[in-house]
Amino acid sequence: MKRSWSRIGWVAAGAAALSVRLVAAQGDPLPSWNEGPAKQSILKFVADTTTAGAPGFVPPAERIATFDNDGTLWSEQPLYFQLAFALDQVKAMAPKHPEWKETEPFKSLLAGEVKGALAQGQKAMLEIVGATHAGMTTEEFRRAVVEWAGRAKHPRSGRLYTEMVFQPMLELLTHLRARGFKTFIVSGGGVEFMRAWVEPVYGIPPEQVVGSSGVVKFEMRPEGPVLLKEPKVEFIDDGPGKPVGINRFIGRRPIFAFGNSDGDHQMLQWTAAGEGRRLAALVHHTDAEREWAYDRQSSIGKLDKALDEALAKGWTVVDMKKDWRRIYPFEK
Amino acid sequence: MKRSWSRIGWVAAGAAALSVRLVAAQGDPLPSWNEGPAKQSILKFVADTTTAGAPGFVPPAERIATFDNDGTLWSEQPLYFQLAFALDQVKAMAPKHPEWKETEPFKSLLAGEVKGALAQGQKAMLEIVGATHAGMTTEEFRRAVVEWAGRAKHPRSGRLYTEMVFQPMLELLTHLRARGFKTFIVSGGGVEFMRAWVEPVYGIPPEQVVGSSGVVKFEMRPEGPVLLKEPKVEFIDDGPGKPVGINRFIGRRPIFAFGNSDGDHQMLQWTAAGEGRRLAALVHHTDAEREWAYDRQSSIGKLDKALDEALAKGWTVVDMKKDWRRIYPFEK
């Protein structure tokens, strides 16, 4: 054991030294962030927790950073992008489901009445998700998501959904990893939906994605084993489910967490309540021109109680309009 | 994105070059393995999948290796070590539970009649697990496991349970990691039980442990948020549950899997059925003198159908008596 540990130590030390040098050579690690308290608090936290000998130093193994996805790493308006996928899938799958022409909520959806379909409430939503996210193998589902992500365009920007990620957050993910953090997504979105595309987009591997999930069943078929997605919710990784999901998948309390809505409130509380240096942060959507402006009254990404606690406790609040020089990578 | 990706590339290349040099300097990476087909198949697989330009080359991100724990990384006789923990906990907790003197299965356990208590069947087992693994916070449970692991001794060896890990497997874990593999535990054991001690013992961090789990609930208390362990099974990571657990936690099919019982059968099938080079392997407990000898008839770690398929399909089968020069780290 001793020999193996010392070898791991050497490798880690080599990698760390190299990354620190490269960061230094690069200059500002967050060029899309304007100077201000948000950028300052993040850079100071990272420096304090990763500088050997500093009073806030945290060993590399404990440098866990968790990020919400919808509204934190990419946009979520005018509706969650995964819902856009589900609605597109209903259209794509309709030829194989003639009965949908006569069955709600599919009938409304196929007639182009999205609002009417969604207004039918949670039962309708579960039927849409069940029809588009289950009854197939995990591999079939993954291929459907990859295919969609490579072609579907956002209604306002005309860009691929995966282009509507936040450039300042990409820089932050990179900076954290360069300083030895392990970056995780902890999202209310479906874990298998995200895993199909997050690795090339965020540099986050599938095993570092925590999300909501449906029941999956192992089945031995003549051609070999498959994993079958069943139309049954298994876990909702939202609100109080986020610290539960973190405990289940990561098993270690983050020292850094970033969200944008009340669905992230308990994750931020759980992160902030740990011992030693902690950073809890929120993206506040304040830019109606370049992105969207919404908070306390929004049905998507409602930010109310978490904002109150953030202001009361001095958590980091990113004012998108003021703090971000650039929103999307495709902007000049 | 391009700048960040190239930086990651540099760091990874630096670490990889360093680790390859260190492995070369060390000589045989598996000194506790006798020469033979098992050792040969493992070394060849690792070389083929990690040598740039080789036909079997696998990119580092896809080098996922999963290991069962009980009977694969450490011993599991005369009873699962986690069960030994639970029985010890019943004794430790008894002063606070006077009612146990009159209630089965606790009454038998406290009278030293372990066999009688366990013979009461699954309901009794669930009561023992519920009483010792729930009704407390995740942090309280972790501390109980750490305390136990630091003091409890195995009845035969007189050693700490965490000393009864297999030296050849420690070497294999180290070798895989040095060649860019990410090593995971995928065990029927309780995930929170394992996470309390696996990092110093195996070099596997908590976020790379997949296991069985109970329901956990977020609760805001006056002193801050806690995660409460409830006496309700959430997931059994055994048999067909193992590929399901792999999908849920890792989201990527392993290329290398190691087990020792029929509880690992579906994990090995799932691993072997993927495209490209795969290695599915079993530890066969054949050494009654230095460890234990058991397989088709054993109630613990039964190995029957998986052994048939391994022999039929040419999976790697480790004959403990022949293939391992040394079993435990404490042997000379």
Side-chain angles (χ1 to χ4, degrees):
Chain A
M1 280 301 273
K2 273 199 187 141
R3 263 158 98 191
S4 64
W5 274 108
S6 73
R7 187 158 81 232
I8 292 168
W10 270 99
V11 173
L18 194 58
S19 63
V20 169
R21 244 180 298 142
L22 286 158
V23 169
Q26 191 194 23
D28 182 358
L30 303 178
S32 298
W33 293 68
N34 289 316
E35 299 307 321
K39 177 172 182 173
Q40 203 181 1
S41 75
I42 290 168
L43 287 178
K44 182 164 170 25
F45 177 84
V46 175
D48 288 353
T49 51
T50 62
T51 304
F57 182 76
V58 173
E62 290 164 33
R63 294 181 199 157
I64 303 290
T66 56
F67 290 82
D68 169 60
N69 184 41
D70 298 310
T72 300
L73 294 179
W74 71 354
S75 292
E76 59 184 346
Q77 300 284 0
L79 43 78
Y80 294 124
F81 294 179
Q82 188 174 358
L83 190 53
F85 162 75
L87 301 181
D88 285 351
Q89 281 301 97
V90 168
K91 284 177 218 155
M93 295 166 77
K96 286 190 177 170
H97 292 271
E99 75 281 9
W100 285 355
K101 281 183 195 153
E102 307 301 329
T103 330
E104 291 294 356
F106 306 103
K107 190 179 166 185
S108 298
L109 280 182
L110 295 172
E113 294 155 16
V114 175
K115 273 198 176 176
L118 300 183
Q120 292 168 38
Q122 208 190 0
K123 188 169 167 288
M125 275 303 308
L126 284 175
E127 285 195 33
I128 294 168
V129 172
T132 56
H133 287 66
M136 63 195 95
T137 69
T138 51
E139 183 50 30
E140 286 161 353
F141 179 74
R142 197 190 64 80
R143 281 200 299 264
V145 176
V146 168
E147 191 271 326
W148 175 85
R151 103 182 126 71
K153 301 278 169 69
H154 187 276
R156 190 166 98 176
S157 71
R159 297 280 180 160
L160 295 176
Y161 286 95
T162 51
E163 290 181 276
M164 294 187 68
V165 297
F166 301 137
Q167 176 64 27
M169 297 304 273
L170 297 179
E171 293 167 4
L172 175 55
L173 288 171
T174 300
H175 180 51
L176 287 169
R177 289 192 290 255
R179 299 298 293 247
F181 278 79
K182 215 163 174 179
T183 53
F184 287 81
I185 291 174
V186 176
S187 166
V191 68
E192 306 212 46
F193 174 78
M194 293 185 283
R195 281 174 173 162
W197 55 268
V198 293
E199 190 160 35
V201 172
Y202 300 137
I204 295 179
E207 63 270 24
Q208 287 164 220
V209 181
V210 181
S212 297
S213 56
V215 171
V216 166
K217 205 179 120 190
F218 179 83
E219 195 175 283
M220 185 53 88
R221 292 182 174 175
E223 70 272 23
V226 296
L227 292 173
L228 209 57
K229 285 171 70 67
E230 303 202 319
K232 200 172 150 188
V233 171
E234 174 189 82
F235 178 60
I236 300 289
D237 188 50
D238 197 35
K242 287 206 176 190
V244 170
I246 287 169
N247 181 65
R248 179 189 295 194
F249 284 78
I250 309 177
R252 182 133 59 182
R253 194 194 298 239
I255 65 168
F256 183 113
F258 227 118
N260 78 300
S261 79
D262 283 359
D264 304 310
H265 195 179
Q266 288 85 353
M267 171 169 79
L268 300 185
Q269 289 176 324
W270 178 244
T271 301
E275 279 168 32
R277 290 293 304 275
R278 304 277 151 169
L279 191 134
L282 283 167
V283 175
H284 191 188
H285 293 262
T286 52
D287 196 327
E289 205 173 309
R290 296 184 299 166
E291 207 245 1
W292 282 268
Y294 57 98
D295 49 26
R296 297 183 194 271
Q297 307 300 326
S298 180
S299 64
I300 289 175
K302 178 179 176 170
L303 174 63
D304 184 31
K305 288 183 182 167
L307 185 57
D308 289 341
E309 184 160 352
L311 298 172
K313 299 231 170 120
W315 294 350
T316 298
V317 179
V318 175
D319 180 328
M320 187 182 273
K321 190 169 181 176
K322 267 205 265 180
D323 288 324
W324 286 359
R325 182 169 298 160
R326 189 175 159 197
I327 308 268
Y328 300 118
F330 55 77
E331 291 167 13
K332 268 165 215 154
Chain B
M1 280 302 272
K2 270 192 186 146
R3 263 158 98 193
S4 64
W5 274 108
S6 72
R7 187 158 79 232
I8 292 167
W10 270 99
V11 173
L18 193 58
S19 63
V20 168
R21 243 181 297 141
L22 285 159
V23 169
Q26 192 193 24
D28 182 358
L30 303 179
S32 298
W33 293 68
N34 288 317
E35 299 307 320
K39 177 173 182 171
Q40 204 181 2
S41 74
I42 290 168
L43 287 177
K44 183 165 169 27
F45 177 83
V46 175
D48 288 353
T49 51
T50 61
T51 304
F57 182 76
V58 174
E62 290 165 32
R63 294 180 199 157
I64 303 290
T66 56
F67 290 81
D68 169 59
N69 183 41
D70 299 308
T72 300
L73 295 180
W74 72 354
S75 292
E76 59 184 348
Q77 298 286 1
L79 42 77
Y80 294 124
F81 294 179
Q82 187 175 357
L83 191 52
F85 161 74
L87 301 182
D88 285 350
Q89 280 301 97
V90 168
K91 282 177 221 155
M93 296 166 78
K96 285 189 179 172
H97 292 271
E99 76 280 9
W100 284 356
K101 281 184 194 154
E102 306 302 328
T103 331
E104 289 296 352
F106 305 103
K107 189 179 164 184
S108 298
L109 280 182
L110 293 173
E113 293 155 16
V114 175
K115 273 199 174 174
L118 300 183
Q120 292 169 38
Q122 209 191 356
K123 189 171 166 284
M125 275 305 305
L126 284 176
E127 285 195 34
I128 294 167
V129 171
T132 55
H133 287 65
M136 63 195 96
T137 68
T138 51
E139 183 49 32
E140 286 162 352
F141 180 74
R142 196 190 63 79
R143 280 200 300 263
V145 176
V146 168
E147 191 271 327
W148 175 84
R151 105 182 124 71
K153 302 279 170 66
H154 188 277
R156 192 167 95 177
S157 71
R159 297 279 180 163
L160 293 177
Y161 286 95
T162 51
E163 291 181 276
M164 294 187 68
V165 296
F166 301 138
Q167 176 63 25
M169 298 304 271
L170 296 180
E171 293 166 5
L172 175 55
L173 289 171
T174 300
H175 180 51
L176 287 168
R177 289 193 290 255
R179 300 296 293 247
F181 277 79
K182 214 164 175 177
T183 52
F184 287 81
I185 291 173
V186 177
S187 165
V191 69
E192 305 212 47
F193 174 78
M194 293 184 284
R195 281 174 173 162
W197 54 268
V198 293
E199 190 159 36
V201 172
Y202 299 137
I204 295 179
E207 62 269 24
Q208 286 163 222
V209 181
V210 181
S212 298
S213 55
V215 171
V216 166
K217 206 180 119 192
F218 179 83
E219 196 176 282
M220 184 53 87
R221 292 183 174 176
E223 70 272 23
V226 297
L227 292 173
L228 209 58
K229 287 172 68 66
E230 302 201 320
K232 200 172 150 187
V233 172
E234 173 190 83
F235 179 60
I236 300 289
D237 188 50
D238 197 37
K242 288 207 176 191
V244 170
I246 287 168
N247 181 65
R248 178 189 295 194
F249 283 78
I250 309 177
R252 181 132 61 182
R253 195 194 298 240
I255 64 168
F256 184 112
F258 227 117
N260 77 301
S261 80
D262 283 0
D264 305 310
H265 195 180
Q266 288 86 352
M267 172 168 80
L268 299 184
Q269 290 177 323
W270 179 242
T271 301
E275 280 168 32
R277 289 293 303 277
R278 304 276 153 168
L279 191 134
L282 282 168
V283 175
H284 191 187
H285 292 262
T286 51
D287 196 327
E289 205 173 311
R290 294 185 299 164
E291 208 247 2
W292 282 268
Y294 58 97
D295 49 27
R296 297 182 194 272
Q297 308 301 326
S298 181
S299 64
I300 287 176
K302 179 178 177 170
L303 174 64
D304 184 34
K305 289 183 182 167
L307 185 58
D308 288 341
E309 184 161 353
L311 297 173
K313 299 232 169 117
W315 294 349
T316 297
V317 178
V318 175
D319 181 328
M320 188 181 273
K321 189 169 181 174
K322 266 205 264 178
D323 287 324
W324 286 359
R325 182 168 300 160
R326 187 175 159 198
I327 309 268
Y328 300 118
F330 56 77
E331 291 167 12
K332 268 162 217 158

